[in-house]
Each structure stands twice: as C-alpha cells, then as structure tokens.
Amino acid sequence: MADKTVKELADMVSKTPSAVQQQLVDAGLPARAEGDLVTELEQEKLVTYLKQSHGQEEKRRISLKSKTTSTARVTGSSGKSKSVNVEVRKKKVFEKPDPQKMAEELAAREQAMIESQARAAKDAEERAATKKKSEERQAATLAAMRASLGSSKKSDDKNDDISTSVVVKKGGKTTTEVKPKEQPKKKVTATKPKVETAVERKAREAREKEEARLREIETETRRTQAEEAQKRTLEQMRKMAGQYTDQPVTEVRKDEPLAEGLVGDALEESFEKERREIKRGTSTTSARGRGRRKNQDEREIKSRKNGLRSSQSSQHKFEKPVEKIVYDVEISEQITVSDLAQRMAVKAREVTKLLMKMGEIARESDSIDQATASLIVEEMGHNPVPVSDTKVEDDLQDAVDERSSNVQTRPPVVTIMGHVDHGKTSLLDKIRETKVATGEAGGITQHIGAYHVKTARGVITFLDTPGHAAFSAMRSRGAQATDIVVLVVAADDGMMPQTEEAIDHARAAGTPLIVAINKMDKPSADPDRVLNELTAKEVVSEDWGGDTPMARISAKTGDGIDELLELISLQAELMELEAPLDGAAQGVVIESRLEKGRGPVVSVLVKKGTLKQGDLVLAGEHYGKVRAMTDEHGQRIKSAGPSIPVEILGLPETPAAGSEFLVLTDEKKAREVADFRSNRERERQLERQNSMRLESMFDQMEQGNVSFLNIVLKTDVRGSLEALLAALNELSTDEVKVRVISSGVGPISESDVTLAESSEAVLLGFNVRADATARRKADTANMDIRYYSVIYGLIDDVKAAMSGMLAPEHREKILGVADVREVFRSSKFGAAAGCMVVEGTIYRNKPIRVLRNDQVIFTGQLQSLRRYKEDVNEVRTGMECGLAVRGYDVEAGDKIEVFEIQEFARTI
C-alpha cells in the first residue's frame, strides 16, 4: 500500500476524518491534518493497534496436522489373517520466535562468551605463574641436593675406604676409568672375636644412619634426574616434530648431557647400549615382545632422524594434530565440477551435494560459472582466487614485452578504405607504379593486401581493404591494425554505405582519418557535395574549420598524390610512432591461405621487434618455425622489422585472419598456449552447435517444417571465408535456412565431395578449384561443383537456390459477379437461378462463392451454365444467364462470385 492522506484513509474505511485522526493519536502516532500523508509504516502500526484493540492478537504459533491411513495384514490366534486399518496422526507445532527474546539470548550468549574468554585468560596466567614457581623451586632444590651430595662425598673419601669404579662415556669423548686405591695386604691371623663396646655401637649406629640418609638423597636425586631426562627427551622430540610446522621450537644442544653426576652418566650409557643393540638387530625386551614389534621398530628406525633415541621415545611418540589445510583455489570464468573438487582436494560428489543444496543440479563433467564456484569454495572453507580465462596468454604477453628493447622510430601503417569501385586499389597502383587493379576478378578487390613503399618522405606501409559490403570484418581488421586511415571517396559518387561504415570503423579504433577525394579528373566531379556529405557525418575539412586533412586527387592522372603523401608524413610525425627493434617480434596476421606445394602461407604485419627466419612463431591456435620469408613481391628475405609486411611459411595450419602472432623461445610454452586456445575454440563451437540444435528444434516445433540449404564451402584465403560465412548466415529466413556444414581454406578435395554427397549439400568453391581425384568423384556421383571468382555472384546463386525452395505464393483473383434475379424450380432439374452478370465474366469450370448480404455462405462449383437453352462455358458482363449451383439452393438477391487462385514464385 502506498502513502495516503488522512482523508483518503477515512474514505476507504467509511469513517469521518476526525475519527481517523483520533485513532492515529491513540496508536501513538503524531497528530496531523486531513491533507497530511500517512506513510506505509505508520499505516501498518495503525492496523496493528486496531487489531489489538478489537481483541485480535497476532498468531505466534501454527499447528500442522497430518493423517495417513494404511492397511496391514495381521494373523490372529486362530491362524487366520485379517486386514487392519492403521491410521497415523502427526502434529507439528511451529512457533514464531520473539525478536526481543532472541536479542536477549544473543546478548546473554555474547556476555557468557566474554566471561569465558576472561576466565580462560586468567587461568592461563595462573598456570604460567605456577609453572614458573615450580621450575624455580625445583632448580633451588636440585642445587641444594648437589651441594649436599658433594660435601658427603668429600667426607666419605677422608674417613672411609670405599671402593668405587666410575665409567664415564659421552659421545666421542675419551673414556676415563677411576680405580680404587690399593690397600696394603696384611697377614691374617686367627684372633679372638672382639667385644663391641657401647661407644663403638653408638658410632656404628650413627654411621648406619648417615648411610641411610645418603641413600635417600641418592634415590631422590636419581628420580629428579630421571624426570629431567624425560623432559629433555620430549624437548628433543618436539624439535624433530617442529621441522614440519611453523611454530618456534626451543633449541636443544645435541652434545648437552641429559643430567649431571652419576645419574646422567648411567642414562647416557644405557642410551648408547640401546643404540648398539638396535644396530645389531637385537633388543633388551623379551622374545615375545621383540617378535610382535619387529616390523614396527624397523619402520621407526628407518624414518627416525639423527638425534636422541630411547625406549621412551618409541613408547611416547609425539603426534602432531591433523589440521585442515586451506587452499587458494584459482577459478576461471568457467570451470568443471571435477576440476574444482580436485583443486580443493575433495571428492567431486561433495561438491555435487553442495550444489544440490544451493538448488543447482550438475554432474562432474558439467561447467559452472565463476560466481557459483566462488560460493562453493568459500562454503568449504577455502580461499577463492578468481582468474581470467586469458591468464596464460596474458602471462606470455608480459614475458615477451620484458625482452623488448632498443626503441626506434618506425614507418607508419596506412589503411586505404572506402566504398567499392571508388579507386582504392588504383590509388595504390599509382603510388607503387603497379597494375594490381587490372588483375582483380570483376575489377574489385576481394582480399586484404599489404605493401610497403619507399617514397621521398620515407617508407610507408599500405593496407588495401575490400570495399564490398560482405567484407566488413576485413575493413574492421584493417582499421585495428593501422596507424592512419585514408578514406577514399569518389568525387562523382559521394558518400556510400561502405564509406560510412569505414568512418565508423576508424572512430571505433581511435585511428586518425585522412580523406582523399578521388576521380577529380572526371567532368561530373563535385567535391563540394562530398564535403557536405562528410560534414553530415561529423567529418569536417580543415578548410572548413575542422580537424580532418583532405586531399583532392586523381588516381588516373596522379594529380594530388604528392599532397596526400605529404599529409600522411605530417600525421606520422605528429604521432611519434616508435617500436622496439630488438627482442621478440610481435604483430598481427593479415591474411592466410593454403597453396599447393607450399602449404599454409601466412601474411603478417610486424608491429614490434624483428622477425627472423627460424624463429618459433605462435599465431592463433598454431605454432611452428619460420622456414621461409618473402616480401609482397615474392623475393626471399631473412628478417623483417617493425611495420613491414611479409609472408611466412612453416605453420601447420592457416591461422584466423586478425589473430596476433608472437615469437617465443620456449616450444613447451608455445604448445601449452596453442592447446589452450584450441580447447577454448572447440568449446565455443560445441556451445554454438548445441544452441543451433536447440534453436532449430524449437523453430521446427513452432513454425512447422523448415527447409535447409546445405552448403560445403572452400575459399582461397581466411578473410574471404569469414566474409562469405557472414553473408550466407544473413540470407537465412524463417522458411529457408542456410546451413554451412563444412568450410575451409584450400582446394576442393575428395572428402569434401563425399561429405556433400552424403549430406545432399551444394559444393561451392571461391577462387579455388577441385583436384583431379575430387573431379572424378564428382563425375561418378553426378554432382555439380560451382566455381566463383566474384563474391556477389556466389551470393546471388545461393539466393536463387533458396528462392526455389520457398513455397509458392497463392493469390486469389475475382473473375466475375452475377446477381440472382429469380429462382425457378423444376422437378427435373431442381432449382435454377436466373442471373444478370454485373461484373467481369462468369466461367462454368471455375470455383464460385455464394454471397448473401455481402457474406460468404457457400463455396463450391457450378452445375450448369446456360444462355437461353444452350449450354455455354462463359457469360460476359451485361448478359443474362441461367445457372445451377451444385449442392446448394440459392435465393433471389444472392450474388454469385466466380474466382480463381493463381500461384506466384517467391524470391528472397
């Protein structure tokens, strides 16, 4: 509901405005006049207040009841089975959550979380303090015990003759053996047992007490040193495990003993003994335990690194907890489900399940878009990294650009554009002093040509583009690959459709424009008309205050050509054209063709660097080494610099015209990029074919039967092939569609004839011929191969073939009209109508219509037509006649209309 005034609300509910104003105030809304607006939110508040005031409360609980009835077979006590109806009732209650309660619960949960974090921090601080105090207390106790042990040892050395033997072994240190002091031998004689006195007994008891105290100290020292040794062992294990993690590890010296004193010496000796037993393959454990853990110990020994090893280390092995690995997943614009799962290290069915939860059904081989794949990656806890489909090509281009150096001034690239038959090629012939135009089929240019000319003002590279309407793509490529566009306009013809298109191409490419008004030598030349028409297209001459240079020339006499070349040189100097001379060559493919005996021949224009014979060239989807290079005159050359057009041999196939080429040093990288482009083009073709199948299927379902004209097309160059394919696709109509089932560059082969025969297609060749094998195959199959050298001849013949497939047009022509004046009835002949022919001629053998009150009520044939008593075949205007209608009785006042249906052939 929209915003309404108080008066409008009162009219809607049939109340006075004052009552509505009072209700607004009661609902807690501000007071307002009759003309004030009430917003949608305020209207909802008013409705809620009125519902509550009338006892209507918002339902916060919904109950859903379901009942299912089924039949079960039950066997009774008598052994007979009977049917029992089972009714299952279910009730589900859904309660709408209260926003206030939800907010309170959320606040309580957040408060509890804050308190728990504070408690955890406090506990951690307490544990750290307790641990520090314990370590300090333990260190102090250990120092006191060591001091006490040292003093006891000194007193024992002085008072008692205790025999001790200590063996100390530490790593590679020398072994020191301390032998007991030899006592002088005394002669033993038999004496009487001596009676112990009270003083001696007290001394013995005191000595025993001291020995017990020392044993307790020794036991406590052993226990403390063992704990320290265990801690050091764990420290060593943590260090070993820390090599596989980023967490800092406490440094432990390999040569540092586990403990000091006798306990440390004993532990070191036991560890060394265990090492020797492990190397010999023996162990101190029992035979049963050794047999059970033999394989496991061997595996642990092999995987264990140099460091501290003990029986405790094998029993209390440190295991690092497994944590989830987060991947940076690169996602292109289209990615298959299986590839996405592989990059996340999960199974493809997990991704498929997640897609089903999102409402999309996709198989492992199906492709999904970048946005959907990013959502999947984020949902599974990884980091999506969107990348472009052209990342491989972009990286390659960046690597090639880095190698460019030695920037120098380069010649300008000039494209000649304009309407057909306005003298573009004749102008180039005059500049180059050649006769190319005389050799063109039909007198028009149908290929894009590249030439470089040495003039008094330097080298200039010219690109000649065709002017026919079908070569729009060629003109667009010429405008993209050039520095300056020279627009040729005939002074006697003016602006034409292709002239306007050339202006649009130049503007789209952002290329400077120079206008050459040609054919000034003709008496009918009108340059002012050309200037006016160009001004209408916002191309204003410098003479008229604009910024477009213009030259009035004659390609036949040569007048004005020097002025045109001067304008081109000035424009090139203003643009400061530069390009690196060294480094990898880059450029664009102008044209490509397939020649017998030479293979694929590619015309390229170098933009940067220097192209040399033997370089590895990547052009479009194909790569290969340059086996030979020729200029536009057919002369062999070894290298070509910037702005120089050349023809190269060595590629396995003909690349598409307009594609860029690069010189690489790594063949593996070239193969990778070529395969990537081939796969991309194959996927595009499959998508195009699938869409065409669907479109054709839907068209046939909606429009009924649709005729198809199948064509197999072969041309001499890629540019002509693209132009013809575009022109043929534009010829398709709703009733007849052109379907090119196969196309290519090169002569017509036997496989082309076989394909055309099996698919009932028309075989067309543009500037190519069939080889001997193909001609024999065509003669055997009684097939007609059509050859063309002019593009509009091929298009006209295809139009004629399509016109023959169109259903004829039926037109109705009224031949005559007769008025029924009287109806005579006879038992022998039935009803006969007396008529007067008022228009045209009434024929006996033509179909008729009966009109009553100018409405058709019957369509049929005449049974008889008489004048007086004679049967006649026709009756002319102004004559009376009698006629009988077969199968229908006419009445006085009806009209008899005689007509015929004529068929006319339709054309496209």
Side-chain angles (χ1 to χ4, degrees), residues 2-10 20 33-38 43:
D3 297 348
K4 295 181 176 61
T5 62
V6 175
K7 185 174 179 56
E8 290 176 349
L9 289 176
V20 176
E34 295 182 5
D36 294 344
L37 288 176
V38 182
Q43 293 177 32

Side-chain angles (χ1 to χ4, degrees), residues 179-224:
K179 295 184 178 180
K181 185 178 179 179
E182 294 183 0
Q183 300 291 336
K185 295 183 180 180
K186 295 182 179 180
K187 195 173 183 180
V188 180
T189 57
T191 57
K192 294 181 180 180
K194 187 177 180 180
V195 179
E196 185 179 17
T197 63
V199 177
E200 292 176 350
R201 186 172 62 255
K202 289 180 180 181
R204 179 176 56 79
E205 291 176 357
R207 190 169 54 253
E208 290 177 355
K209 288 180 181 181
E210 184 66 21
E211 290 177 357
R213 186 180 66 82
L214 290 176
R215 281 195 298 270
E216 291 177 0
I217 292 174
E218 182 69 19
T219 304
E220 182 67 22
T221 303
R222 287 176 180 273
R223 186 183 63 80
T224 304

Side-chain angles (χ1 to χ4, degrees), residues 21-263:
Q21 291 174 349
Q22 184 60 37
Q23 290 177 350
L24 288 171
V25 174
D26 295 341
L29 300 175
R32 60 198 70 201
E34 295 182 5
D36 294 344
L37 288 176
V38 182
T39 62
E40 295 183 5
L41 183 60
E42 291 175 343
Q43 293 177 32
E44 292 178 359
K45 291 182 178 179
L46 178 60
V47 172
T48 304
Y49 167 73
L50 292 176
K51 285 182 178 181
Q52 293 177 355
S53 63
H54 290 83
Q56 296 181 6
E57 295 183 356
E58 184 182 3
K59 292 185 178 181
R60 308 190 62 84
R61 180 176 296 180
I62 300 175
S63 299
L64 299 179
K65 297 180 180 180
S66 62
K67 181 175 70 174
T68 57
T69 305
S70 60
T71 304
R73 301 288 295 180
V74 180
T75 304
S77 58
S78 60
K80 295 182 179 180
S81 62
K82 59 181 180 179
S83 299
V84 178
N85 293 329
V86 180
E87 184 177 278
V88 180
R89 298 178 182 179
K90 294 182 179 180
K91 180 179 179 182
K92 293 183 179 180
V93 180
F94 299 92
E95 185 174 357
K96 183 178 180 181
D98 189 0
Q100 184 176 0
K101 291 184 178 179
M102 292 178 63
E104 293 176 356
E105 292 177 358
L106 182 60
R109 194 179 300 113
E110 292 179 353
Q111 184 64 26
M113 186 180 297
I114 294 172
E115 293 177 357
S116 63
Q117 291 177 354
R119 286 197 299 270
K122 186 176 180 181
D123 294 343
E125 292 177 357
E126 292 179 354
R127 284 196 299 271
T130 305
K131 182 178 180 182
K132 184 176 181 182
K133 291 179 180 179
S134 177
E135 290 177 353
E136 293 176 354
R137 187 167 52 253
Q138 185 177 0
T141 305
L142 182 59
M145 292 175 63
R146 288 175 178 172
S148 176
L149 181 61
S151 61
S152 300
K153 185 176 181 181
K154 289 180 181 179
S155 62
D156 291 343
D157 291 339
K158 291 180 180 180
N159 300 326
D160 300 329
D161 294 332
I162 301 175
S163 298
T164 58
S165 177
V166 181
V167 179
V168 181
K169 295 183 180 180
K170 294 183 180 179
K173 297 182 179 181
T174 58
T175 303
T176 305
E177 185 174 356
V178 183
K179 295 184 178 180
K181 185 178 179 179
E182 294 183 0
Q183 300 291 336
K185 295 183 180 180
K186 295 182 179 180
K187 195 173 183 180
V188 180
T189 57
T191 57
K192 294 181 180 180
K194 187 177 180 180
V195 179
E196 185 179 17
T197 63
V199 177
E200 292 176 350
R201 186 172 62 255
K202 289 180 180 181
R204 179 176 56 79
E205 291 176 357
R207 190 169 54 253
E208 290 177 355
K209 288 180 181 181
E210 184 66 21
E211 290 177 357
R213 186 180 66 82
L214 290 176
R215 281 195 298 270
E216 291 177 0
I217 292 174
E218 182 69 19
T219 304
E220 182 67 22
T221 303
R222 287 176 180 273
R223 186 183 63 80
T224 304
Q225 297 294 346
E227 290 178 357
E228 291 181 0
Q230 185 177 2
K231 288 181 180 180
R232 292 181 183 276
T233 304
L234 294 177
E235 289 286 341
Q236 186 73 6
M237 292 180 179
R238 289 193 187 97
K239 180 181 177 181
M240 295 167 61
Q243 296 177 1
Y244 304 97
T245 181
D246 297 334
Q247 298 177 356
V249 181
T250 305
E251 293 290 336
V252 179
R253 291 170 49 192
K254 292 184 179 180
D255 57 349
E256 183 179 358
L258 295 180
E260 297 179 356
L262 298 177
V263 177

Side-chain angles (χ1 to χ4, degrees), residues 184-478:
K185 295 183 180 180
K186 295 182 179 180
K187 195 173 183 180
V188 180
T189 57
T191 57
K192 294 181 180 180
K194 187 177 180 180
V195 179
E196 185 179 17
T197 63
V199 177
E200 292 176 350
R201 186 172 62 255
K202 289 180 180 181
R204 179 176 56 79
E205 291 176 357
R207 190 169 54 253
E208 290 177 355
K209 288 180 181 181
E210 184 66 21
E211 290 177 357
R213 186 180 66 82
L214 290 176
R215 281 195 298 270
E216 291 177 0
I217 292 174
E218 182 69 19
T219 304
E220 182 67 22
T221 303
R222 287 176 180 273
R223 186 183 63 80
T224 304
Q225 297 294 346
E227 290 178 357
E228 291 181 0
Q230 185 177 2
K231 288 181 180 180
R232 292 181 183 276
T233 304
L234 294 177
E235 289 286 341
Q236 186 73 6
M237 292 180 179
R238 289 193 187 97
K239 180 181 177 181
M240 295 167 61
Q243 296 177 1
Y244 304 97
T245 181
D246 297 334
Q247 298 177 356
V249 181
T250 305
E251 293 290 336
V252 179
R253 291 170 49 192
K254 292 184 179 180
D255 57 349
E256 183 179 358
L258 295 180
E260 297 179 356
L262 298 177
V263 177
D265 298 338
L267 287 173
E268 290 287 348
E269 185 179 1
S270 65
F271 291 163
E272 184 64 27
K273 183 178 179 181
E274 185 174 355
R275 288 194 202 98
R276 291 196 301 270
E277 291 175 351
I278 290 173
K279 288 181 180 179
R280 291 197 303 268
T282 60
S283 177
T284 56
T285 56
S286 61
R288 183 181 60 179
R290 181 170 63 250
R292 184 171 61 249
R293 297 180 53 87
K294 179 179 180 181
N295 296 332
Q296 182 178 356
D297 290 342
E298 291 178 355
R299 290 194 298 268
E300 292 177 356
I301 293 167
K302 290 180 181 179
S303 62
R304 194 177 294 150
K305 293 186 177 181
N306 293 332
L308 187 61
R309 298 178 178 86
S310 65
S311 59
Q312 291 180 350
S313 65
S314 62
Q315 293 175 1
H316 303 282
K317 182 177 294 185
F318 175 80
E319 294 183 0
K320 183 177 180 295
V322 179
E323 296 181 359
K324 182 177 180 179
I325 303 176
V326 179
Y327 295 100
D328 292 335
V329 183
E330 293 185 352
I331 305 172
S332 57
E333 295 180 4
Q334 291 290 332
I335 186 172
T336 60
V337 175
S338 57
D339 290 344
L340 183 62
Q342 184 178 5
R343 295 179 185 182
M344 293 188 295
V346 297
K347 295 183 179 179
R349 63 170 175 264
E350 299 296 333
V351 180
T352 306
K353 289 179 182 177
L354 199 54
L355 283 170
M356 294 177 66
K357 290 180 181 178
M358 297 172 61
E360 292 191 13
I361 305 299
R363 296 173 297 179
E364 295 183 7
S365 58
D366 292 344
S367 297
I368 57 178
D369 56 14
Q370 193 177 71
T372 305
S374 299
L375 291 176
I376 294 294
V377 172
E378 291 178 353
E379 189 70 21
M380 302 195 76
H382 301 286
N383 300 327
V385 181
V387 297
S388 174
D389 284 344
T390 60
K391 183 177 183 298
V392 178
E393 298 172 325
D394 296 341
D395 295 343
L396 179 63
Q397 185 67 45
D398 295 340
V400 171
D401 292 339
E402 291 177 357
R403 301 200 302 267
S404 301
S405 60
N406 191 10
V407 177
Q408 296 182 3
T409 304
R410 65 174 177 84
V413 180
V414 181
T415 299
I416 309 296
M417 302 179 72
H419 191 69
V420 63
D421 200 25
H422 275 202
K424 299 182 297 300
T425 307
S426 300
L427 173 62
L428 275 179
D429 286 344
K430 192 65 179 177
I431 295 174
R432 300 170 57 224
E433 297 180 354
T434 57
K435 295 182 180 180
V436 176
T438 57
E440 296 281 3
I444 64 171
T445 301
Q446 300 180 109
H447 306 102
I448 184 169
Y451 321 95
H452 73 282
V453 181
K454 294 181 179 179
T455 65
R457 298 167 183 83
V459 178
I460 301 176
T461 299
F462 288 98
L463 296 180
D464 186 15
T465 60
H468 194 273
F471 295 98
S472 176
M474 282 192 187
R475 289 190 291 276
S476 177
R477 286 198 300 272

